[in-house]
Amino acid sequence: MIGGWSVRSAPGALVLVIVLGVAGTTMAALALRHADEDRADRAGAQQTMLVQQVVSAEIRRYSTTLADLAAAVGSQAELESAEFTAITAPIDQERLPGATGVSLVVPATDAEIPAVQSYWRARGISGLTLAPAATGPDHRFIVLNRPIDGSSPMYGRDVRASPAATDAMTAARDAHAVAVSRAFRLLRDAQLPLREQQLSFALAAPVYATSPDAPDNGRFRGWLVMGLRGGNFLHQVIGTVARDTVAVTLYDPSLGRTTPVATWQPNVAADHSHPARTATVTVPQRAWELTVQPTVRLLPASARDLDRIAWLIGLVITALLAALIRTVSTARDRALKRVDEATVALRDDIHRREEVEHQLRQRESELVGFAGVIAHDLRSPLARITGYADFLRDEAGPRLDPVHRDFLERLYGGAERMRSLIDDLLDYATADNRELTTARVDLRDLAEDVLAERVGDSVEPTVVLDRLPVVEGDPTLLRQVLDNLIGNALKYIRNGADPYVRVAGADQSPDQWRIDVVDHGIGIPEEQRETVFTAFTRADGSAGYPGTGLGLAIVQRIVERHGGTVGVTANPGGGSRFWFTLPKAVHQLSPSATATSASS
Ligand code: ADP
């Protein structure tokens, strides 16, 4: 039972299937979504790590390149413009996305400007004019420059005009290593339209004279500075690894979160169901921050929609199951309805048959009654016929010629047969219609009585009387039963054999006695053992024996009216074994006796 519905009933099963189906489907879909989110989480974390590693590796590569160049520049005894051009030539081949170029920056105070200017003019930059910025007495001038972004070389500018680049140079000199500046707008970008200007970084590497032949061996010469446009850098570096799976924003913590340095935004929508991740990238002398936001391409579309697809499939299966149950239950209901209809029709049929049977019984009983009346009415004229025939036989018989005497004998015989038939018909009608007058009947007394009367009819028979019960019944009718059965046993004897009859009683069941009447006579063919109980039916082999075919029908009527049954089997030693049962009224048997004649 679920909530008062029996699951055996069709609506109960239907509701159960729908509830379980929807619940199961939802649970499966949720589990799939959970797994999906896990996968997206992992993919997001992986992609973030990849972006972080690539950015950090790229900056390291830029730094190493710059440091190598600085070492090469420092190793020159007397650095000429041509040498600088030769040393820095390989960076054209290096893939350095976002890099603007490399400059040699040298320090100079106000007083040193003319000397520095003429020194570098003599090194090959003939048109060099140092343009100090108004930031104080200390300046840092670009004296050599190799652009790699296609722009024209810039000489003579004072980098002090850019505090971010100045700070990075100071940090590099202090650390004797490459330093990355905070984000700023490049001096050279100042001429570009505003929307093309991007935030950039400067990478600065200190340059020390390392040639033993150099007059300034071991001293600080200046810096190699590389400009790096944040946007271009990020686009090329991230674009190749992240493609359209994530959007990346690069922040310089010193500028705060409001001003992103650069953004990689692929041309697909961001997937805001998964949060953006933040990663820190350590670059020389500082740290950058990256935020990585997954896009809808991070997981394949098929994987993302798995939960929805599973939910849909589950719902379709549930609906199909529900439809199946409905069909089955409808078919079952229809079948049950048909069974009900058939049952009603059957009952009607049985009822009709019972009515017909009842009517038939009534007709039969009327007919039997009618036959009884006719038989009764025929009795007195027949008595007169036999009386006069008898009288004629006695009086005129001796005077008649043999032919007429034979006629008279035939007339007498026919009348006698008719009397016997009328008697049997009357008995048959009586057995059917007479009210039962019950009393205690000792079947043994009854059997002795019958035998005493019957014994004169035939040759001395062998008679065995076993124990017989005392029963409750109609004495006259029960006498007729024994009389018919014993009479037949003594009548249907085999040619030349002595008549034999045994009457015995026994317990058939706790409520019934069984009485057997056994003979050694002609027997009854097996296939006729049932039909002999039908009125006017005689078995094969009984042709030479007188009879009307009514005796056993009378026996069956009487026994059945007493609540018993009747039948016949073959006697194992030859002959027949007729039996009938009667309800036990008195639970005791009379003592047995064996006799060779009816009197004994
Ligand atoms: P009937 O007046 O012919 O004896 P019953 O109704 O008494 O009529 O018997 C019906 C038939 O059953 C008989 O005609 C006979 O064929 C057969 N029958 C009855 N009793 C015996 C018996 N003891 N042995 C052999 N056949 C019998």
Side-chain angles (χ1 to χ4, degrees), residues 79-422:
L79 185 67
E80 300 284 336
S81 166
E83 283 164 346
F84 180 78
T85 308
I87 289 170
T88 55
I91 61 166
D92 288 341
Q93 267 71 53
E94 298 265 352
R95 223 181 50 82
L96 298 174
T100 54
V102 192
S103 307
L104 178 66
V105 179
V106 293
T109 58
D110 279 340
E112 292 167 336
I113 290 176
V116 170
Q117 185 171 288
S118 59
Y119 176 82
W120 286 103
R121 278 185 180 175
R123 302 270 86 73
I125 316 295
S126 50
L128 177 70
T129 309
L130 300 182
T135 48
D138 293 323
H139 306 283
R140 292 173 185 182
F141 294 108
I142 298 174
V143 290
L144 292 172
N145 174 251
R146 180 189 186 89
I148 51 173
D149 60 351
S151 55
S152 47
M154 271 187 346
Y155 304 112
R157 285 220 176 164
D158 185 353
V159 181
R160 287 299 296 253
S162 164
T166 309
D167 291 352
M169 287 190 286
T170 310
R173 188 176 178 181
D174 291 349
H176 293 262
V178 177
V180 176
S181 75
R182 52 184 191 276
F184 67 105
R185 284 187 207 287
L186 292 175
L187 295 175
R188 61 171 61 220
D189 282 359
Q191 314 113 9
L192 290 177
L194 205 61
R195 65 187 164 77
E196 283 179 32
Q197 293 187 12
Q198 13 180 318
L199 282 175
S200 304
F201 303 96
L203 274 73
V207 179
Y208 290 93
T210 53
S211 167
D213 305 333
D216 57 347
N217 183 21
R219 287 216 302 275
F220 177 70
R221 274 188 182 168
W223 298 268
L224 265 193
V225 177
M226 181 191 280
L228 184 62
R229 291 199 178 89
N232 293 357
F233 169 76
L234 201 68
H235 273 234
Q236 300 211 22
V237 171
I238 301 304
T240 43
V241 292
R243 294 171 189 273
D244 55 0
T245 59
V246 286
V248 181
T249 311
L250 171 64
Y251 292 99
D252 178 354
S254 62
L255 298 187
R257 276 289 180 130
T258 43
T259 321
V261 176
T263 304
W264 161 251
Q265 182 63 60
N267 215 6
V268 290
D271 181 358
H272 290 291
S273 59
H274 298 107
R277 289 163 191 279
T278 307
T280 303
V281 178
T282 312
V283 295
Q285 316 305 325
R286 60 177 54 248
W288 289 347
E289 250 179 33
L290 292 170
T291 59
V292 180
Q293 170 70 56
T295 67
V296 291
R297 293 278 166 79
L298 183 60
L299 283 185
S302 57
R304 272 186 291 119
D305 290 340
L306 225 56
D307 55 339
R308 258 170 280 167
I309 292 167
W311 203 68
L312 259 178
I313 291 174
L315 282 193
V316 168
I317 290 174
T318 306
L320 284 178
L321 259 180
L324 189 72
I325 287 182
R326 224 182 97 74
T327 312
V328 168
S329 76
T330 318
R332 195 189 67 159
D333 288 350
R334 264 207 304 274
L336 282 178
K337 204 172 147 214
R338 269 194 221 131
V339 168
D340 284 349
E341 283 168 2
T343 311
V344 169
L346 198 68
R347 270 204 211 108
D348 284 353
D349 193 41
I350 291 173
H351 186 65
R352 254 198 323 278
R353 278 166 198 272
E354 278 173 354
E355 263 180 10
V356 170
E357 200 180 312
H358 178 69
Q359 282 171 0
L360 277 177
R361 281 194 187 286
Q362 233 174 355
R363 291 277 171 287
E364 192 188 351
S365 146
E366 279 167 17
L367 269 177
V368 170
F370 178 67
V373 172
I374 299 282
H376 188 265
D377 288 354
L378 284 177
R379 249 185 162 181
S380 56
L382 189 66
R384 242 176 285 152
I385 293 170
T386 42
Y388 281 115
D390 200 26
F391 175 71
L392 256 181
R393 205 168 50 169
D394 288 348
E395 291 295 316
R399 278 178 280 131
L400 291 175
D401 59 63
V403 175
H404 291 132
R405 214 171 29 247
D406 183 48
F407 286 168
L408 190 62
E409 280 305 321
R410 282 169 191 251
L411 175 75
Y412 186 78
E416 270 301 302
R417 270 204 306 284
M418 200 164 164
R419 189 182 56 75
S420 145
L421 182 63
I422 285 171

Side-chain angles (χ1 to χ4, degrees), residues 424 484-485 488-492 519 521-524 532-534 537-542 545-553 576 578:
D424 280 357
N484 274 327
L485 295 178
N488 282 348
L490 298 178
K491 181 166 66 173
Y492 294 105
D519 63 51
I522 59 171
I524 301 174
V532 287
F533 290 95
T534 310
T537 308
R538 310 199 71 203
D540 296 341
S542 61
Y545 302 86
T548 59
L550 277 169
L552 289 181
S576 311
F578 281 88

